[in-house]
Amino acid sequence: MITKYIIIKPPHFSDLNEAAKALSEGELVAFPTETVYGLGANAYHEKAVRSIFDAKGRPADNPLIVHIAEIAMLNNLVSEIKPHVRKLMDTFWPGPLTLVLKKSSRVPMVTTAGLDTVAVRMPNHPVALELIRRSGVAIAAPSANRSGKPSPTLAQHVLEDLNGRIAWIIDGGPCEIGLESTVLDVTEETPVLLRPGGITLEMLEQVVGKVISDKSMNRMSRPKSPGLKYKHYAPKGEVIVVSGRASKVCQWVNEQLLDNEKKSIKSVILTASEHVQNYGNGAGKSYGSCKKPEEIAANIFRLFRECDEQGIEKIYVEAVPKEGIGYAIMNRIEKAAGGKIVDMEEK
Ligand code: TXA
Ligand code: MG
């Protein structure tokens, strides 16, 4: 298959028409959102949705998020909306909040991987919203990466992973947030945070009061969000998260870098712009200012991909405080590290 690639610059949307038509008729179209690029299919078209799993190499038991452009599109997707859920929609949509709701019978089982719930969000990106409107249907879309790779924050990343496997790529520039949306299960009385993201726990609690998260639980024994059990977002190189006081982190990492160099192991440290110069031999790569965690969120997946391109074998990453968007950043880098976390305060 030849993948068609178009660049869309709002407010010029007329070039979207052909892609929107193809999308509604069952083709796969990758498109920008404010979080990461999505790989879209008509959510009601079983064959199209099934082809998402093939193109990504995604396990069939991992359900998709359905994207809408208007609240009215919910009528076909869900059976009821409780008042506190309505409040969340009014406050955070369009935006990086995905809500897990009881599904209506019209949503095919392949879209929700057999669950009786459906995850829905209204993305805050003019190109995504316009594409959905012009296609006239709700769009099922996971992140537009090959399964297991970091989510794409540039159209170039989608091209690297999916060229020749999908019908269209719509380039709308870099994604502003850079991490996938917050996923919140609102099927029970008290909402449960399944994946931290751009809408922070603090922001959610201001609107609905108590939210259950792994900060408030000892640990989920069985993940309720099927995607959580997979290793995600991982570059090919080994990721090691290092936390603790900056001076201690710096000393220990420099020792490791030196040791790796002796063994001809290519390694880098992803660090705050304020700390780059503390690391020897140009091994420090800035992930943004430690005073602006939203910069770190926007850069981290791109940096993981750059490390792969450069054949980096060991990627040390300075930890950030688990507050606000920092909670989501740590969730992604800890997953990429597959549990390899070194706490300097415990050494
Ligand atoms: O920001 C985002 O959410 C991006 C953009 C494209 O919108 N999409 C995205 O999709 O990250 P994906 O498929 O990579 O992640 C969806 C997550 C998975 O962890 C999946 O298991 C969970 O949402 N999920 C989807 N439907 C669910 C459901 N019915 N119940 C529980 N978890 C669900
Ligand atoms: Mg994904």
Side-chain angles (χ1 to χ4, degrees):
M1 176 189 303
I2 303 220
T3 302
K4 295 190 189 113
Y5 188 104
I6 51 169
I7 298 172
I8 298 289
K9 292 206 170 101
H12 306 289
F13 295 117
S14 53
D15 288 348
L16 276 180
N17 288 339
E18 213 186 319
K21 184 164 180 283
L23 185 56
S24 68
E25 288 170 355
E27 302 277 12
L28 300 189
V29 178
F31 61 96
T33 81
E34 80 282 31
T35 58
V36 300
Y37 274 78
L39 177 60
N42 176 343
Y44 301 102
H45 194 303
E46 286 188 39
K47 196 159 159 253
V49 173
R50 215 167 287 123
S51 67
I52 286 184
F53 291 87
D54 292 340
K56 275 186 63 103
R58 180 182 177 104
D61 66 349
N62 194 1
L64 306 176
I65 296 173
V66 177
H67 295 66
I68 59 172
E70 335 271 349
I71 291 282
M73 290 179 115
L74 279 174
N75 296 341
N76 286 326
L77 294 170
V78 303
S79 40
E80 62 155 347
I81 303 168
K82 297 197 185 98
H84 72 291
V85 176
R86 187 83 211 190
K87 217 163 136 193
L88 286 167
M89 293 171 177
D90 291 343
T91 312
F92 298 115
W93 281 2
L97 176 65
T98 295
L99 296 169
V100 174
L101 298 146
K102 286 254 180 300
K103 88 186 229 337
S104 89
S105 57
R106 269 170 281 192
V107 183
M109 280 296 181
V110 52
T111 304
T112 63
L115 298 177
D116 60 1
T117 54
V118 60
V120 189
R121 91 174 185 102
M122 189 188 290
N124 188 17
H125 193 292
V127 176
L129 291 171
E130 202 55 38
L131 178 73
I132 300 167
R133 275 189 207 113
R134 285 175 194 233
S135 74
V137 287
I139 302 300
S143 49
N145 51 291
R146 286 281 293 169
S147 202
K149 293 246 273 168
S151 293
T153 55
L154 294 172
Q156 178 61 34
H157 299 157
V158 183
L159 200 61
E160 283 161 21
D161 281 14
L162 298 174
N163 192 18
R165 292 175 178 271
I166 63 177
W168 290 82
I169 296 174
I170 299 169
D171 183 346
C175 301
E176 203 182 321
I177 295 178
L179 298 180
E180 308 86 346
S181 63
T182 304
V183 180
L184 190 71
D185 183 338
V186 288
T187 53
E188 307 287 339
E189 206 46 52
T190 310
V192 181
L193 184 73
L194 300 179
R195 178 174 77 181
I199 301 298
T200 65
L201 196 56
E202 294 84 346
M203 290 159 82
L204 293 170
E205 286 183 332
Q206 269 184 11
V207 177
V208 286
K210 191 175 153 45
V211 171
I212 299 171
S213 71
D214 64 3
K215 274 188 173 172
S216 58
M217 276 189 304
N218 289 333
R219 283 243 161 259
M220 279 179 283
S221 47
R222 193 177 68 91
K224 210 176 165 195
S225 194
L228 299 180
K229 67 175 187 259
Y230 297 107
K231 190 180 176 202
H232 260 104
Y233 331 110
K236 291 189 204 102
E238 181 185 358
V239 176
I240 303 130
V241 183
V242 196
S243 70
R245 234 173 310 153
S247 58
K248 283 191 180 178
V249 168
C250 174
Q251 194 192 345
W252 184 80
V253 171
N254 270 322
E255 284 165 19
Q256 306 302 307
L257 293 170
L258 208 63
D259 195 44
N260 292 335
E261 203 181 318
K262 282 190 201 134
K263 296 179 188 149
S264 299
I265 297 171
K266 277 189 167 185
S267 55
V268 298
I269 164 107
L270 305 184
T271 172
S273 53
E274 291 87 347
H275 305 157
V276 171
Q277 77 285 355
N278 300 344
Y279 295 98
N281 265 345
K285 252 181 190 282
S286 166
Y287 59 26
S289 167
C290 57
K291 296 189 193 82
K292 293 186 186 148
E294 61 285 0
E295 269 184 24
I296 304 173
N299 289 328
I300 195 77
F301 286 151
R302 177 178 51 78
L303 289 169
F304 280 165
R305 281 179 182 257
E306 278 176 25
C307 287
D308 276 353
E309 273 163 34
Q310 292 160 10
I312 309 290
E313 291 153 280
K314 287 199 179 196
I315 308 164
Y316 299 89
V317 188
E318 267 179 17
V320 300
K322 288 185 181 175
E323 290 148 20
I325 187 89
Y327 184 31
I329 297 170
M330 285 302 286
N331 168 273
R332 304 309 193 273
I333 62 182
E334 284 182 357
K335 277 192 172 218
K340 271 164 273 153
I341 301 158
V342 182
D343 185 352
M344 298 316 300
E345 304 311 313
E346 284 174 4
K347 278 203 163 266

